[in-house]
Amino acid sequence: MNLSRWGLRLAAVAAAGLTAAATLAAGPATAQGPAAKQGAAAGPTVKLVAAQNDISVPQFGKQQVFLDPGIYVEAFGSALEFDVQRASYSQPLTLTQVIHLAGHVRELRPLPAWLLDGWNGLRRFLRLSVTNSHGKTVGSHVLPLCPNTFNPQRAGPKSPFTSPYPQECSSDPFERGMVEGIQRGWGVDPFGGFGFGSGARFRLKLGTYTATMRITRVWAGLLHVTPRAAMARVRFRVVKGSRCSFICPGSHRHTRTGTLPRLPSVPLMQSPPSSVLPDLSPLPSWGISLGRSGGKKKPVDYQLQFGATVWIGGNSPLDVEGFRVHGSPVMQAYQYFWRNGHVVGRARAGTMGFDHKKGHNHWHFQQFAQYRLLNSSKTLVLRSRKVGFCIAPTDPVNLILRHATWVPSFTGFGGACGSPTALWVQEMLPVGWGDTYFQSVAGQSFDITHLPNGTYYIEIIANPEKVLHESNLGNDISLRKVILGGTPDHRTITVPAFHGIDAEH
């Protein structure tokens, strides 16, 4: 789609009144009142800012150049914020701009869904062009913008110290809701700011060039960006690259160390109220494939490999903590209940065991989930041996929820899954986040070598032994259809789309 069509679409947006916003007031002021009028002038907009005026870009042999000019999209006036969500898997995505005004007033501005690049961010937000030393354009790319980059930057000494927004836009295919934003006074690099290996690809010779980045006319019009603020330039030189100059050995990944604080003593709750409970729910399986082993002089074996995500809704995080008892190799686990950021109770909830296997080496909560393969009649055929997890947030699933945490204190396994000698382990999953695990190990994946062709279902069961308290036990099972085919020497798999989502084969 060219920019002239986008200009026509923008005109249609204005004509249809989509730029007029619905409003939501948080407090005595309303969006029609004085606070809204006063705050309107301080609404959000953006500008492009170059971190450096001159940079060098490496080229290795005859490979294309990866260009990240270090030009940031900076928000000012107020935070630039969007809600992206779908009401159900059968409904399309919707896009709403959330405008923060004075007096704690929020203005909701519905925008057309064609402005979205799916879950990847804002579609066709930027154009990056490269001109040579003679002023000739030698390359151009139109780029989306994910406001939730992994490495947002404070733009100045008066900027807020922290940003409340997540650091990714898309997770797995069954995402439900995401908040995308740039904090006021902060900037994001559309390429993430990862340096060499990131950026747009250009086929360039050694020499001097100019990179020009512009906010496209559609987005500049929607966000009221002036022509000067919508453009930034960086001069760069393409030079012969030495890999060690850009990727040097000896780098280390920093992990959080130290002991987490102990929670205060809290009462046991036999029947905790729904207001302090999480809601565990498994997504349909995804990332499904067949693994093959053997061959030549060995029998051929086929493994059905799949990804499984269990996520948390409801009114509080899932907080499971294990404690040693008399030096036992198994910890007694407790579920802690939270209200308004404070622990209000606890209850016994299963056990934790230490997994010494390669790739794990941490404590697993042993009653988190169960995985089964069902036949076309939905009766049990195979069961995965995988049941235990080090519970940790890996994928945002629905950050639009009222109690969702936009930025967890850690993602992945950066928390406290513990060492073999630990006395205590705390594993948490915030509201809105899921824990994804891929079953690709024998015994965890399904051995379908001798199964007949036909229709099967991957069943994921959260909280299978009902040892965890939940606000809703009626959504603890998901099913995903798979169809096995082929011959004994060449098995095939077909995965139909789930409500039009994630047609894998």
Side-chain angles (χ1 to χ4, degrees), residues 225-246:
V225 186
T226 65
R228 182 176 180 181
M231 187 269 290
R233 286 194 174 98
V234 170
R235 184 173 177 268
F236 70 97
R237 288 173 290 113
V238 177
V239 298
K240 289 184 178 181
S242 167
R243 288 196 181 273
C244 189
S245 299
F246 297 92

Side-chain angles (χ1 to χ4, degrees), residues 476-491:
D476 286 349
I477 296 176
S478 71
L479 296 174
R480 185 73 189 274
K481 180 189 288 188
V482 296
I483 303 171
L484 298 180
T487 64
D489 292 329
H490 185 72
R491 300 302 300 269

Side-chain angles (χ1 to χ4, degrees), residues 18 92 111 117 119 147 194 207 216 231 247 283 297 399 481 485:
L18 288 172
L111 295 173
D117 184 24
W119 291 106
F194 292 110
T216 57
M231 187 269 290
I247 307 175
L283 298 179
K297 297 182 179 181
L399 301 190
K481 180 189 288 188

Side-chain angles (χ1 to χ4, degrees), residues 31-187:
Q32 289 79 25
K37 293 179 181 178
Q38 182 179 359
T45 188
V46 296
K47 61 183 176 182
L48 298 184
V49 177
Q52 300 181 86
N53 294 324
D54 295 273
I55 61 173
S56 295
V57 178
Q59 183 184 61
F60 300 98
K62 297 182 179 180
Q63 297 179 7
Q64 290 179 308
V65 168
F66 289 92
L67 174 63
D68 178 356
I71 295 174
Y72 287 77
V73 181
E74 180 187 335
F76 64 98
S78 64
L80 181 70
E81 183 177 319
F82 301 91
D83 285 351
V84 182
Q85 58 186 310
R86 52 185 166 204
S88 69
Y89 291 133
S90 60
Q91 298 297 315
L93 296 183
T94 61
L95 175 65
T96 304
Q97 185 180 2
V98 181
I99 301 173
H100 296 271
L101 303 174
H104 302 288
V105 173
R106 293 193 312 157
E107 185 177 278
L108 303 183
R109 183 190 191 194
L111 295 173
W114 50 261
L115 291 169
L116 282 172
D117 184 24
W119 291 106
N120 298 318
L122 309 176
R123 186 167 177 248
R124 298 179 65 93
F125 192 91
L126 299 162
R127 178 177 287 278
L128 175 61
S129 301
V130 172
T131 55
N132 61 19
S133 57
H134 301 292
K136 180 182 177 181
T137 299
V138 293
S140 179
H141 291 291
V142 178
L143 310 169
L145 175 70
C146 170
N148 298 349
T149 58
F150 180 73
N151 189 27
Q153 304 280 299
R154 295 178 70 207
K158 295 183 179 180
S159 300
F161 283 101
T162 60
S163 171
Y165 297 106
Q167 294 184 350
E168 59 186 303
C169 285
S170 62
S171 56
D172 60 54
F174 297 102
E175 199 169 351
R176 291 288 298 271
M178 174 58 73
V179 176
E180 300 180 4
I182 305 175
Q183 169 70 299
R184 173 183 57 84
W186 284 57

Side-chain angles (χ1 to χ4, degrees), residues 369-389:
Q370 187 179 101
Y371 314 95
R372 310 195 309 172
L373 186 66
L374 311 181
N375 61 20
S376 58
S377 301
K378 298 184 180 177
T379 57
L380 178 64
V381 175
L382 296 172
R383 188 192 305 268
S384 169
R385 293 203 301 264
K386 176 68 175 176
V387 294
F389 270 84

